[in-house]
Amino acid sequence: MKINKVKYIFRSLFLQGFWNSRKMQNVGMLFTMYPYLLELYSATPKFLKRAIQRNLETFNTNPAMVSFCLGAVMRQEQVLQKVHNNVNTFYEQEKEWVIIRSSVASTVASLGDRLFWSTLKPLSLVLAFTVLYLGQVYCLNDSVQVENLNLMVICALAFAFFTYNIPVLITRYKGFTLGYEGTEETFFGLTKLNWNKIITVLKTIGQVLTLFVFVYGLYFYFEGSVIDADIITKVILLSSFIILSVFIKQWDIPNIYLYLASVLVFNIVTLF
Amino acid sequence: MILQLAGFCALIALLELDTTYVGQFLISRPLFIGTIIGALTGNLFLGLQVGIFTELIYIDYMPIGGAIPPSGTITAALTLLMNYFFKMDIYFAFFVGIVCGQMFAFVERYLRNKRGKILEHVEKKLVDMKITPGKVIFKSILIEFIAVFVFIALSMIVFGPLFAYLHQDISDKVHVAFKFAYYIVPWVGLCGLLLSFSTKPKED
């Protein structure tokens, strides 16, 4: 059976279209698989209903890496369709289907969250920041006087967009083939790449660029300032909040609470 | 003004779908939303700045598993719209945006729970093939669009005039406090960004 990869990858963009608190992406996964199931079980409506029911089980994974699951599950659906006349083998293979679906989903969820949410997304932001700085757009300051602001902004946004989306699209496309053609030995193609190494390299690049942005930003923030009481107060307050933000990370307190606390503290200080 | 506001609400509601429901190309991230609204309202630099500040302040939130983080899209969008339509100072507008971004997480949780409640009924219809999953998803996306549209419009209607009413009574000291807190954001955020790239495993 020939599978139109692009069609299913496109449908997988709607994976979270019916995100619900009970079974998460189950309807989205069924939506992605639907034409495939209709085609596969066109001659056996009874098995089609069972396949729909099966595909409505709880499903949750990282959307950028769902194609690994999609490929592996489609392959197993084919096995199920072939053995549907033999009840015992069918039940065995159906159990296998459940194991494949849940194990691939949880593994790619963990990998995808680490790679795309925790690494590539912040990396794309810091890359945009770097492009802006190189174009002398210091967005941490109050005003800007750059002649080619529009061009620099477009470049920065394009960098951020492609840094994130090109790897996502490649993963979606390649992941489908790897998942479909992969075996349990290669964990449906997932062991073909050293994910930890990729993540470590990207995180290191991110650290270096963030340090650059931080130091460069501080330099331009205080450039030309005369050392007086006002600037000393600014430096002390800024340093305290920077130290505090590092400190509160130990308890996993988000930055947003530090901002709200700063609003409160500054209001109290200025009022009295 | 009302038509313009409705247009902005529709645009933001449409782009917000990218956060979770459709695609996830990250065009809904504050960096993009901020810059787009900034360009449309004639202040590209401010839009870019608000977008970056919002991304930095929300850097430690990840939409992992069933977690519903505050909406950076709503925060950046409302900050700029409040500034544009009601001439709200950007540091006050940012505070309002943050509050609304947090409030929207509750709306999102409500919608997801609501879907969870009707799931059994939807599943039955899907298995009986009385509806297609495409129809279910389309309805869900449409409801999400309407919810975001209404949320932004309501926030604007409530907080905008409220600020205009209170504006003259706000002392200069309060302005200074909010302004300083606003300019603390990127530095605190950059620390968070640096730590987010840490390769050391977390200790329990």
Side-chain angles (χ1 to χ4, degrees), chain A residues 224-232:
Chain A
S225 304
V226 182
I227 299 171
D228 55 9
D230 185 45
I231 205 80
I232 292 170

Side-chain angles (χ1 to χ4, degrees), chain B residues 48-123:
Chain B
L48 179 73
Q49 190 185 57
V50 167
I52 288 180
F53 282 23
T54 310
E55 285 240 0
L56 288 172
I57 200 77
Y58 287 137
I59 202 77
D60 8 45
Y61 287 104
M62 299 285 158
I64 292 169
I68 305 171
S71 172
T73 313
I74 300 283
T75 300
L78 274 173
T79 302
L80 291 162
L81 291 185
M82 289 287 178
N83 177 264
Y84 179 67
F85 282 103
F86 298 101
K87 307 287 170 243
M88 193 185 279
D89 304 280
I90 198 68
Y91 36 89
F92 286 129
F94 187 70
F95 181 78
V96 172
I98 292 275
V99 172
C100 293
Q102 298 273 346
M103 276 161 51
F104 187 74
F106 293 106
V107 176
E108 185 61 42
R109 187 164 295 124
Y110 172 80
L111 287 172
R112 289 186 187 189
N113 288 339
K114 199 83 186 159
R115 275 182 226 122
K117 278 179 189 164
I118 60 161
L119 184 67
E120 210 171 308
H121 174 70
V122 170
E123 280 185 348

